[in-house]
Amino acid sequence: MKTRDIISSVLFFLVSFCSLIFAEQREYFIINSFDEESEIPRSLGSQYYDAVVKHRMIYDLTFDEWFNGPHALASLCGARTLVESNGIIPAVSYIGNFASNPVGGISRGASNTSSVNLGLGIDLKELTDIDSLNGWTIGNTWVWRFGESLTKRRIGNAFNVQQNYGSQTIQLQSIFASYNKDILADWHWTFKFGRFAAADNFMTKPIYWLYQNNAFDGNPVGVFKQTRFSAYPGSTWAVFTQLTYKDGQYAKAGVYKINTAKQDASHGLDFDFRGDGVNANFEFGWNINHDASGKSPANISAGIVAQWYDAPHIDNPMKVSNFNCSIYLQADYMIYNMGHLKNDEPYYIVRDSDKWRDLRGIILWGAIQYDPYDYLADMPIFINGGLLFNAPFKSRADDVLCFGVAYGRFSDKYSDHRKDSYETVFEVNYKFQINRFSFIQPNIQYILNPNGGGISDALVIGMQFGINL
């Protein structure tokens, strides 16, 4: 063998040996310092970006650091960091709803409705360092809504195709004190009083927030077609309590003043205790597997909305009854569980207390609301439900594909075309989570038999979008 061949062989052996060593070192470091799926260093996960945003001004951030942070306005020039370190948590967000009806309705058109939410939560123990205030918090929210409703101006149907339309003004949505405490080892107690809405506490789930049509979003809309149920962005004097067992069973009750029309139009600043009546709500339910076990989560709950006020009769508005009620049942279950998906990628939403929401899979849900006094209710029967595919793509853990259908039957006490008629709405949407603080959600809605008939069925093309500031 020639000397040159010997040297080449030795060099090849050394290069191969060194490559093997470095390959083993890289594998070693991947196991201990890198995320197995994203292959980014764990030190550059969400906690890393949170810390960067917290300690630096927005103009000192790179695009990557800003984009992967938790808020679009970062630390608000240090103000967010300052108040949060003293137990004051600000929450500022914007939601927009664009909708257009190229087919059907009264006339064709398009509109965008907007809602700006400014919230504040104050941990009194952390703020004051007074031990006796442990568990006490103060909540305060203001809402600014603007824009014109496509349902009201162009379609004429009953179920608003833009969920953030209503009370188009600036108003105080809530101001209250709450107390939370673990009691008797296995129970948790919540008590809340001040000014807030009944819909803040009853018939509301994260599932419902994933739609643009108001028949689904926030609360199943039937209760508002049956009773005078207070809802965001409105508020009223109220007291609420809930008792929750460690395995998820719960019971809750609340009493709410029914505002006059004048009070509802006063930007939430009319604090008069007098009103049109009283609303009392009761709900019993079970949150099943709402933990980090990875088992299919579910909920089943039932309740009643009872109200004492002068409710006018549909067939004779001069006649009133002083009691009305609605009973409801709601349930959901992950029928196809594909397991946990998330690690600590910076572009995923971090959920610590409710990791069950990060499970990948298909959820079946539904709700029914019934008012036995059909002469008092616009829609005595309302049913809605649907399917959600959480994380339809493995690489998109915070995306959701949604389908929903809602049906409301009008009272047979009407004397016009609505008598024994109905309206049905279908919605399909895809929520694309851009990063932790922004999303876009294109959707298609179809309105069948708008307002009980007399209006042609409408196709609606929409887009919901939002940003946490």
Side-chain angles (χ1 to χ4, degrees):
M1 182 179 289
K2 296 181 179 180
T3 304
R4 184 177 62 183
D5 294 334
I6 295 173
I7 294 174
S8 297
S9 299
V10 171
L11 288 175
F12 177 79
F13 173 79
L14 289 174
V15 170
S16 299
F17 181 73
C18 290
S19 298
L20 179 61
I21 291 175
F22 284 118
E24 289 178 348
Q25 286 182 337
R26 185 178 186 276
E27 182 65 20
Y28 173 80
F29 284 117
I30 286 177
I31 292 172
N32 288 273
S33 302
F34 285 70
D35 180 86
E36 291 82 355
E37 293 189 12
S38 69
E39 293 190 352
I40 64 168
R42 288 200 178 103
S43 60
L44 298 184
S46 59
Q47 293 181 348
Y48 166 84
Y49 286 96
D50 292 350
V52 169
V53 168
K54 183 177 181 179
H55 294 103
R56 284 162 55 183
M57 298 298 180
I58 190 169
Y59 48 78
D60 286 330
L61 301 176
T62 66
F63 176 81
D64 178 73
E65 290 167 341
W66 167 79
F67 188 80
N68 287 307
H71 307 288
L73 296 181
S75 67
L76 289 172
C77 295
R80 190 191 306 274
T81 304
L82 177 63
V83 297
E84 287 186 358
S85 64
N86 288 284
I88 303 173
I89 309 299
V92 186
S93 62
Y94 167 83
I95 293 288
N97 278 188
F98 171 80
S100 174
N101 62 318
V103 177
I106 299 171
S107 61
R108 315 300 170 263
S111 73
N112 189 75
T113 52
S114 297
S115 181
V116 179
N117 182 98
L118 173 61
L120 205 63
I122 304 174
D123 186 321
L124 294 181
K125 165 62 170 63
E126 191 169 347
L127 177 66
T128 64
D129 202 29
I130 299 175
D131 290 339
S132 60
L133 292 178
N134 187 36
W136 284 96
T137 58
I138 298 292
N140 178 219
T141 302
W142 291 81
V143 178
W144 176 28
R145 283 187 166 183
F146 52 95
E148 296 183 341
S149 166
L150 189 74
T151 282
K152 186 176 181 179
R153 291 179 58 86
R154 299 290 186 178
I155 303 177
N157 66 308
F159 302 143
N160 205 315
V161 299
Q162 294 151 296
Q163 58 85 11
N164 63 351
Y165 178 81
S167 301
Q168 305 303 93
T169 185
I170 299 175
Q171 65 182 46
L172 173 67
Q173 192 277 322
S174 66
I175 182 166
F176 60 86
S178 66
Y179 179 68
N180 286 271
K181 183 177 178 61
D182 291 328
I183 60 175
L184 303 175
D186 296 330
W187 296 84
H188 183 81
W189 179 48
T190 297
F191 178 70
K192 176 180 172 183
F193 66 94
R195 290 186 62 83
F196 48 94
D200 295 348
N201 311 122
F202 294 89
M203 286 181 286
T204 182
K205 300 181 181 183
I207 287 173
Y208 303 154
W209 310 336
L210 293 170
Y211 295 86
Q212 178 168 309
N213 193 290
N214 200 215
F216 312 102
D217 185 88
N219 316 83
V221 79
V223 68
F224 305 103
K225 304 292 185 181
Q226 298 168 353
T227 66
R228 292 179 61 179
F229 194 69
S230 55
Y232 179 100
S235 64
T236 187
W237 286 111
V239 60
F240 167 82
T241 189
Q242 178 170 335
L243 196 60
T244 305
Y245 188 59
K246 65 177 182 179
D247 293 333
Q249 298 91 339
Y250 66 85
K252 54 186 177 181
V255 178
Y256 305 80
K257 187 192 76 170
I258 299 176
N259 288 336
T260 65
K262 181 180 178 181
Q263 289 169 336
D264 278 335
S266 66
H267 305 278
L269 299 175
D270 187 333
F271 291 171
D272 195 328
F273 282 96
R274 293 171 295 179
D276 279 350
V278 175
N279 159 222
N281 306 318
F282 306 90
E283 182 178 308
F284 301 90
W286 185 9
N287 289 322
I288 305 167
N289 298 329
H290 281 205
D291 51 32
S293 67
K295 298 178 181 179
S296 291
N299 168 271
I300 184 167
S301 51
I304 182 170
V305 175
Q307 302 193 339
W308 292 263
Y309 70 104
D310 290 335
H313 290 213
I314 289 175
D315 52 355
N316 182 9
M318 300 301 294
K319 185 177 180 181
V320 298
S321 295
N322 58 17
F323 177 78
N324 190 17
C325 72
S326 175
I327 55 178
Y328 62 89
L329 174 68
Q330 52 187 5
D332 59 78
Y333 177 64
M334 180 171 275
I335 58 176
Y336 182 42
N337 187 343
M338 303 170 71
H340 284 293
L341 182 62
K342 291 187 183 179
N343 289 289
D344 193 29
E345 293 87 341
Y347 34 81
Y348 288 159
I349 296 172
V350 180
R351 297 188 179 97
D352 294 323
S353 61
D354 52 357
K355 288 187 179 296
W356 56 275
R357 291 178 59 188
D358 290 334
L359 286 172
R360 187 181 184 212
I362 298 175
I363 298 170
L364 175 67
W365 69 273
I368 182 170
Q369 300 166 331
Y370 171 66
D371 188 333
Y373 304 99
D374 59 349
Y375 52 87
L376 302 178
D378 180 40
M379 286 182 173
I381 298 176
F382 175 84
I383 304 171
N384 70 355
L387 287 168
L388 306 177
F389 192 166
N390 198 46
F393 303 102
K394 192 174 181 180
S395 60
R396 303 289 312 165
D398 283 315
D399 288 6
V400 189
L401 176 63
C402 309
F403 167 75
V405 57
Y407 166 89
R409 173 162 287 278
F410 289 97
S411 172
D412 63 1
K413 303 303 180 183
Y414 279 112
S415 58
D416 57 18
H417 66 278
R418 290 172 292 179
K419 181 181 177 67
D420 278 336
S421 189
Y422 68 93
E423 176 173 309
T424 300
V425 60
F426 302 88
E427 178 176 338
V428 177
N429 69 61
Y430 186 91
K431 184 180 182 183
F432 180 85
Q433 194 73 37
I434 299 172
N435 56 14
R436 286 197 287 159
F437 60 73
S438 61
F439 75 91
I440 56 173
Q441 189 173 16
N443 61 84
I444 299 175
Q445 303 174 43
Y446 190 78
I447 315 300
L448 182 64
N449 209 36
N451 203 35
I455 303 171
S456 60
D457 296 349
L459 175 68
V460 177
I461 308 299
M463 175 75 77
Q464 185 162 225
F465 48 96
I467 186 167
N468 285 323
L469 301 172

